[in-house]
Structures are given as C-alpha cells and as structure tokens.
Amino acid sequence: MSFFSVIAKQVKTHPSLIPLFVFIGGGATMSMLYLTRLALKNPDVSWDRTNNPEPWNKMEPNQQYKLFAVNMDYSELKKDRPDF
C-alpha cells in the first residue's frame, strides 16, 4: 500500500480530515516557497563565491530585498555608505 492510497482511504472514511490535509499541505508549500525565496533573493546568501564573494556590498540603497516593508519607501532612499 502506498502512502497516497492510505490517505485516500482515510479521507473516504473520515471526510472531516479534508480541511486538515488542505491546510497542512498549504502550510508546507508556503514554507518551502518562502525558504526558496530566502535562498535566492537574500543578500546574506552567497551561492557564487568566486564572482560575487560579498553580495551585500553590491546592494543599491533603493533596492528592496525584504518581503514586506511596512512604512518604508525604498525608491526615495539616498546613498549613505561608502563604496568598497
């Protein structure tokens, strides 16, 4: 018996488990998508150390890398740090 056949059998006998499977599956999917976004978009993560060893130094001051900014307009920020 495969894993999915066991789940299908449980859902047929207990249909009240359907919302549980939907929300657990949705939560797992959203958490994996968020971890993927962090791994690809965060300047603290360096996948290519030979061509870009310090990706945080190449961030422009008006570049938004956070997923959600409450009261921050990144397009109006001025450069306040030196070039390295």
Side-chain angles (χ1 to χ4, degrees):
M1 247 186 185
S2 72
F3 179 70
F4 294 112
S5 65
V6 172
I7 289 178
K9 183 180 176 184
Q10 288 292 324
V11 167
K12 286 179 185 175
T13 57
H14 303 289
S16 61
L17 291 176
I18 293 173
L20 177 71
F21 287 125
V22 168
F23 285 108
I24 295 294
T29 302
M30 286 190 290
S31 66
M32 292 306 296
L33 287 173
Y34 183 67
L35 285 175
T36 303
R37 185 195 178 279
L38 283 178
L40 296 176
K41 297 288 186 181
N42 199 348
D44 295 335
V45 179
S46 178
W47 291 95
D48 186 13
R49 293 186 182 175
T50 57
N51 294 329
N52 193 7
E54 296 176 342
W56 51 89
N57 283 336
K58 294 190 179 190
M59 295 286 296
E60 295 295 324
N62 57 0
Q63 184 177 357
Q64 179 179 355
Y65 65 93
K66 291 186 176 184
L67 180 65
F68 183 69
V70 178
N71 289 327
M72 189 66 133
D73 187 13
Y74 284 92
S75 64
E76 296 178 357
L77 289 178
K78 304 288 188 238
K79 186 174 183 178
D80 61 346
R81 56 185 179 241
D83 291 329
F84 289 108

